[in-house]
């Protein structure tokens, strides 16, 4: 099926730029690739479908064609699918549980026992949890996510099957940890860890070669965090990533006690980041989650190695871990993306994480103002543009797919969501004078759209996400009515 979408398209081609394109035609070929974009095409001039067929020669002849016109509704727009760069699928049952408990105790009391239940004998429980977390995040417009599962092989294989079944683009991170002092029942030996790691890579490669090529599913090397990994394990994982060209994800400097623990466990290293760096785990395909308490020296190493940070403000607030100085990281030229960090974080929606990113950045500015009242500390505050970028193209960059997804460009894949701020199911009220009308190129028009984006970020939720596509395929459709389908003869 070739689909021609028509309507308003909004995306962030760079962190300082937001593009609002009205009356835009976007053609998506049967492989899910965007192969046609025409901006500012008024349908009052000529029928968009006729225009398309006279102005575009697709690479393959079009057999089945579908036209989706959303141009009549000023409260609807297309937006790139969200990329969640840090999420623990197995912890989903614990969302909202454990408030007030700091990280290391929280892991022992809630996280490790839950993850430890993911075993062959609990396949149905695992299926239930993994199905629900994939579906919940898809409902919220997350088209791509970088997941941690557990140390267990059969349930991690099942998780891979479910990603393919429900059509979410995903990174599968079998958790690697060869010791666990606070909860010894949940750990594996070095040999088992490396063996299971290779088995899950082989499982995905052999069972899903086509999806692997299309980067719909990718194994990701996942040392949980250095305090539960031996030096030989960290070293081997660095080598596995290099030899098999696989991305890496882990945690860094989430909590001050954890940073102290790192100093005790790795006394010969200068800092937390240099431990990972020593074992070749800091690459341009490494996602470092949290990064709340980094020193300037660590920022320099991370920037030099071109790693990305996954900012998890909801989790950092819930577990009182701290306020990550995101603007400082951006100044260091570090790519910052967003993570829900279920279940340290309680929100499955990246839209909510955008909101919390802004609020946490304001708190950072407020705290600084208390100690230095003469300054406004505006530099610490994140803008709507910035968080939109981090939720989409910044996320795509973090997972190494910025040439494929994250924005609307010819050649990229159609990983997208249709947002509707109106309608009976909307989470917000929009008044007549707030609806953009008149000349679409005017400043007044774009100002109104930008105000609506503020409403979306601060008042929106999954009810505003009406439809979701991954790789050109519809994976969520909340519209009752069927689309018109035109078959060309
Ligand atoms: Zn985490």
């Amino acid at each position: 099926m070739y689909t021609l979408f028509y309507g308003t398209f909004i995306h962030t081609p760079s962190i300082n730029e937001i593009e609002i394109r009205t009356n835009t035609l976007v053609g998506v070929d049967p492989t899910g690739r965007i192969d046609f974009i025409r901006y500012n095409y008024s349908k009052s001039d000529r029928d968009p479908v006729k225009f398309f067929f006279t102005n575009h020669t697709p690479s393959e002849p079009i057999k089945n064609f579908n036209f989706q016109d959303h141009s009549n509704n000023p409260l609807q727009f297309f937006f790139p699918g969200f990329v969640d760069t840090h999420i623990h699928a197995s912890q989903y049952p614990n969302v909202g549980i454990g408030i007030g408990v700091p990280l290391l105790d929280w892991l022992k009391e809630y996280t490790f026992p839950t993850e430890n239940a993911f075993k062959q004998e609990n396949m149905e429980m695992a299926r239930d949890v993994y199905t629900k977390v994939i579906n919940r995040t898809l409902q919220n417009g997350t088209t791509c996510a970088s997941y941690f599962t557990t140390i267990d092989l059969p349930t991690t294989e099942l998780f891979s099957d479910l990603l393919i079944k429900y059509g979410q683009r995903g990174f599968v991170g079998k958790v690697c940890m060869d010791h666990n002092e606070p909860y010894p029942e949940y750990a594996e030996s070095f040999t088992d860890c490396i063996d299971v790691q290779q088995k899950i890579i082989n499982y995905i490669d052999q069972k899903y070669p086509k999806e692997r090529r299309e980067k719909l599913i990718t194994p990701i090397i996942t040392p949980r965090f250095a305090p539960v990994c031996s030096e030989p394990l960290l070293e081997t994982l660095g080598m596995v990533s290099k030899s098999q060209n696989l991305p890496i994800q882990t945690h860094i400097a989430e909590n001050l006690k954890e940073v102290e623990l790192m100093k005790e466990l790795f006394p010969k290293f200068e800092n937390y980041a240099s431990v990972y760096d020593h074992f070749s785990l800091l690459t341009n395909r490494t996602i470092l989650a949290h990064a709340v308490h980094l020193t300037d020296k660590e920022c320099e190493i991370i920037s030099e190695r071109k790693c990305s940070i996954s900012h998890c403000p909801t989790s950092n607030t819930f577990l009182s871990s701290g306020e990550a100085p995101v603007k400082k990281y951006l100044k260091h030229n570090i790519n910052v993306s967003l993570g829900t960090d279920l279940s340290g974080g309680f929100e499955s929606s990246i839209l909510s994480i955008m909101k919390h990113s802004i609020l946490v950045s304001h708190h950072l500015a407020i705290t600084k103002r208390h100690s230095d009242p003469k300054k406004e500390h505006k530099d610490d505050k994140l803008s709507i543009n910035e968080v939109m970028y981090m939720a989409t193209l910044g996320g795509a960059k973090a997972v190494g797919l910025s040439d494929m997804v994250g924005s609307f460009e010819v050649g990229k894949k159609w990983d997208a969501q249709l947002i509707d701020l109106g309608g009976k199911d909307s989470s917000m009220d929009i008044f007549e004078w707030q609806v953009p009308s008149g000349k679409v190129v005017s400043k007044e028009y774009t100002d109104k759209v930008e105000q609506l984006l503020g409403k979306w970020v601060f008042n929106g939720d999954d009810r505003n996400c009406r439809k979701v596509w991954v790789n050109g395929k519809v994976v969520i459709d909340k519209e009752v009515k069927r689309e018109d389908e035109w078959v060309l003869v």
Side-chain angles (χ1 to χ4, degrees):
M1 178 74 69
Y2 192 104
T3 308
L4 186 64
F5 298 97
Y6 185 47
T8 298
F9 287 71
I10 298 177
H11 70 166
T12 48
S14 74
I15 195 153
N16 299 313
E17 194 186 351
I18 179 157
E19 254 183 22
I20 300 162
R21 301 284 199 172
T22 53
N23 293 333
T24 291
L25 279 166
V26 172
V28 178
D29 75 15
T31 69
R33 180 184 166 275
I34 298 174
D35 87 329
F36 175 85
I37 298 183
R38 172 68 187 238
Y39 299 119
N40 302 323
Y41 181 80
S42 169
K43 69 178 174 186
S44 57
D45 294 344
R46 195 176 173 196
D47 179 81
V49 175
K50 282 187 187 150
F51 172 83
F52 170 76
F53 278 102
T54 47
N55 284 276
H56 183 59
T57 316
S59 44
E60 296 278 321
I62 294 174
K63 289 180 191 145
N64 298 314
F65 181 76
N66 175 254
F67 177 57
Q68 294 189 25
D69 183 357
H70 292 273
S71 66
N72 292 327
N73 187 336
L75 297 179
Q76 286 189 347
F77 60 92
F78 293 97
F79 195 76
F82 292 134
V83 182
D84 184 345
T85 59
H86 187 66
I87 171 166
H88 296 261
S90 53
Q91 294 176 20
Y92 183 53
N94 288 350
V95 284
I97 298 175
I99 185 85
V101 183
L103 174 70
L104 300 178
D105 300 323
W106 174 83
L107 283 169
K108 188 179 165 185
E109 277 179 49
Y110 299 100
T111 307
F112 293 145
T114 301
E115 288 191 23
N116 199 30
F118 283 73
K119 289 177 180 158
Q120 180 85 53
E121 60 264 34
N122 291 330
M123 241 15 194
E124 282 320 300
M125 178 279 292
R127 182 185 300 280
D128 186 33
V129 172
Y130 285 160
T131 299
K132 283 181 176 145
V133 72
I134 294 168
N135 279 289
R136 178 67 63 188
T137 50
L138 276 174
Q139 298 273 346
N140 278 288
T142 298
T143 50
C144 177
S146 191
Y147 284 103
F148 284 53
T149 57
T150 67
I151 63 173
D152 182 60
L153 178 65
T155 50
T156 299
E157 289 175 347
L158 170 69
F159 178 74
S160 311
D161 297 339
L162 293 169
L163 273 181
I164 298 294
K165 179 176 175 186
Y166 295 108
Q168 189 176 47
R169 200 181 288 280
F171 288 74
V172 180
K174 167 244 174 296
V175 170
C176 296
M177 49 197 283
D178 62 350
H179 61 96
N180 188 5
E181 282 68 27
Y183 197 86
E185 303 92 302
Y186 183 56
E188 54 197 337
S189 68
F190 169 87
T191 324
D192 284 350
C193 178
I194 299 303
D195 179 50
V196 172
Q197 176 63 77
Q198 195 54 51
K199 280 185 175 146
I200 190 67
I201 297 169
N202 296 346
Y203 180 82
I204 293 170
D205 283 353
Q206 286 158 16
K207 192 164 179 187
Y208 301 110
K210 182 175 167 285
E211 290 83 355
R212 180 85 171 84
R213 273 196 307 279
E214 292 192 49
K215 298 188 177 155
L216 279 165
I217 187 162
T218 310
I220 181 163
I221 303 300
T222 307
R224 177 178 211 110
F225 68 152
V228 292
C229 298
S230 66
E231 293 194 16
L233 181 62
L234 292 171
E235 186 175 14
T236 309
L237 293 175
M239 290 190 305
V240 174
S241 155
K242 196 170 180 191
S243 62
Q244 302 186 48
N245 191 24
L246 292 171
I248 297 164
Q249 61 180 353
T250 189
H251 298 84
I252 195 167
E254 177 174 353
N255 161 298
L256 286 173
K257 269 202 171 161
E258 170 210 358
V259 175
E260 284 305 309
L261 179 65
M262 279 299 289
K263 282 182 191 155
E264 280 169 37
L265 295 171
F266 296 89
K268 66 180 185 209
F269 292 93
E270 197 186 338
N271 52 47
Y272 204 150
S274 60
V275 176
Y276 290 139
D277 194 34
H278 179 80
F279 296 111
S280 309
L281 290 161
L282 298 188
T283 74
N284 62 359
R285 294 178 72 197
T286 299
I287 304 166
L288 295 169
H290 299 285
V292 181
H293 307 283
L294 293 179
T295 61
D296 285 348
K297 181 83 189 133
E298 288 178 299
C299 291
E300 280 164 29
I301 299 172
I302 290 166
S303 174
E304 221 165 86
R305 299 283 180 262
K306 298 189 165 56
C307 310
S308 292
I309 284 173
S310 178
H311 176 45
C312 307
T314 312
S315 169
N316 297 340
T317 302
F318 190 77
L319 297 176
S320 305
S321 300
E323 295 135 334
V326 173
K327 294 286 273 199
K328 177 175 132 181
Y329 301 154
L330 295 176
K331 276 188 197 132
H332 274 276
N333 231 349
I334 299 171
N335 178 54
V336 183
S337 58
L338 298 180
T340 54
D341 188 35
L342 300 180
S343 65
F346 52 87
E347 291 277 12
S348 333
S349 153
I350 285 290
L351 186 68
S352 293
I353 307 302
M354 287 156 69
K355 169 169 66 185
H356 290 156
S357 298
I358 293 176
L359 296 182
V360 164
S361 75
H362 281 222
H363 276 280
L364 197 61
I366 294 165
T367 313
K368 281 194 182 173
R369 207 162 61 211
H370 287 157
S371 53
D372 185 3
K374 282 185 191 146
K375 274 197 195 164
E376 261 293 304
H377 300 283
K378 275 188 193 158
D379 284 358
D380 291 300
K381 294 182 185 176
L382 286 164
S383 68
I384 286 182
N385 293 15
E386 286 166 333
V387 298
M388 280 184 173
Y389 176 86
M390 289 188 241
T392 54
L393 197 50
K397 202 172 166 190
V399 295
L401 299 182
S402 57
D403 56 343
M404 274 186 83
V405 298
S407 60
F408 299 120
E409 277 177 53
V410 169
K412 282 197 171 184
K413 290 299 186 114
W414 180 250
D415 281 22
Q417 44 181 328
L418 176 68
I419 303 298
D420 187 356
L421 303 180
K424 64 177 170 39
D425 292 328
S426 177
S427 56
M428 69 190 81
D429 291 305
I430 292 168
F431 297 89
E432 203 187 319
W433 66 88
Q434 296 175 322
V435 178
S437 62
K439 285 209 166 152
V440 294
V441 286
S442 71
K443 183 165 180 326
E444 194 195 342
Y445 191 97
T446 42
D447 282 352
K448 281 191 176 175
V449 175
E450 284 183 10
Q451 285 173 6
L452 288 181
L453 291 177
K455 276 184 168 278
W456 179 45
V457 171
F458 287 99
N459 288 324
D461 64 22
D462 60 320
R463 287 169 289 181
N464 303 113
C465 172
R466 304 307 302 165
K467 208 163 170 178
V468 181
W469 296 261
V470 175
N471 219 33
K473 283 200 187 102
V474 178
V475 288
I476 295 289
D477 188 354
K478 298 177 191 168
E479 302 300 309
V480 180
K481 67 178 171 54
R482 300 277 305 163
E483 295 161 9
D484 291 328
E485 207 168 279
W486 300 358
V487 178
L488 299 184
V489 286

